[in-house]
Amino acid sequence: MQVGQYLHDRIGHYQQEVFGALLLDNQYRLIEFAELFFGTINSAAVHPRELVKKGLACNAAAVILAHNHPSGAAEPSTADRMLTKRLVETLQLVDIRVIDHLVIGHGQWVSFADRGWL
């Protein structure tokens, strides 16, 4: 998966948790990748309002969410799943579709879409 490798290369090396989004147009072409939130070694505060603002500013029709796990384990936590649900619901209000959320570990990633969680 090219998207997984790209995101791994972009945020997989950070020593702190980083949450970002690939912002896409209505043909799912990349507008930009934005690193939006930076946290600690095991968490990052993600504010839906800021993600909505960025999506609207870029005129995005869709997003692929991503964050890294500095521990190296790509397995999503319960908190990751709850956050994703909240972001999907919030972005739906402004007609921005969440295509996927990838959790990036060391040399690996997990796709919410592949697991049927979106």
Side-chain angles (χ1 to χ4, degrees):
M1 171 192 246
Q2 291 179 346
V3 172
Q5 187 62 55
Y6 173 80
L7 291 167
H8 181 271
D9 293 346
R10 287 293 303 259
I11 64 173
H13 65 282
Y14 283 112
Q15 299 292 316
Q16 74 211 62
E17 198 162 296
V18 176
F19 185 96
L22 291 162
L23 299 141
L24 310 171
D25 69 12
N26 62 357
Q27 299 293 315
Y28 298 157
R29 293 176 300 214
L30 181 63
I31 298 169
E32 89 176 73
F33 175 68
E35 294 177 1
L36 298 166
F37 306 102
F38 296 85
T40 63
I41 61 169
N42 63 355
S43 69
V46 176
H47 303 281
R49 173 188 173 98
E50 297 304 315
L51 181 57
V52 168
K53 280 174 44 178
K54 184 65 175 175
L56 292 174
C58 292
N59 201 30
V63 295
I64 297 174
L65 307 172
H67 77 281
N68 68 320
H69 280 175
S71 68
E75 190 60 35
S77 67
T78 300
D80 293 338
R81 292 184 69 182
M82 290 172 47
L83 172 65
T84 303
K85 182 179 186 301
R86 183 172 174 214
L87 294 174
V88 166
E89 292 169 352
T90 301
L91 288 167
Q92 281 177 340
L93 295 173
V94 293
D95 294 324
I96 298 175
R97 182 173 177 224
V98 176
I99 306 238
D100 203 349
H101 183 170
L102 279 80
V103 179
I104 309 298
H106 294 168
Q108 60 186 344
W109 51 85
V110 172
S111 162
F112 278 52
D114 286 351
R115 293 220 174 152
W117 294 345
L118 290 177

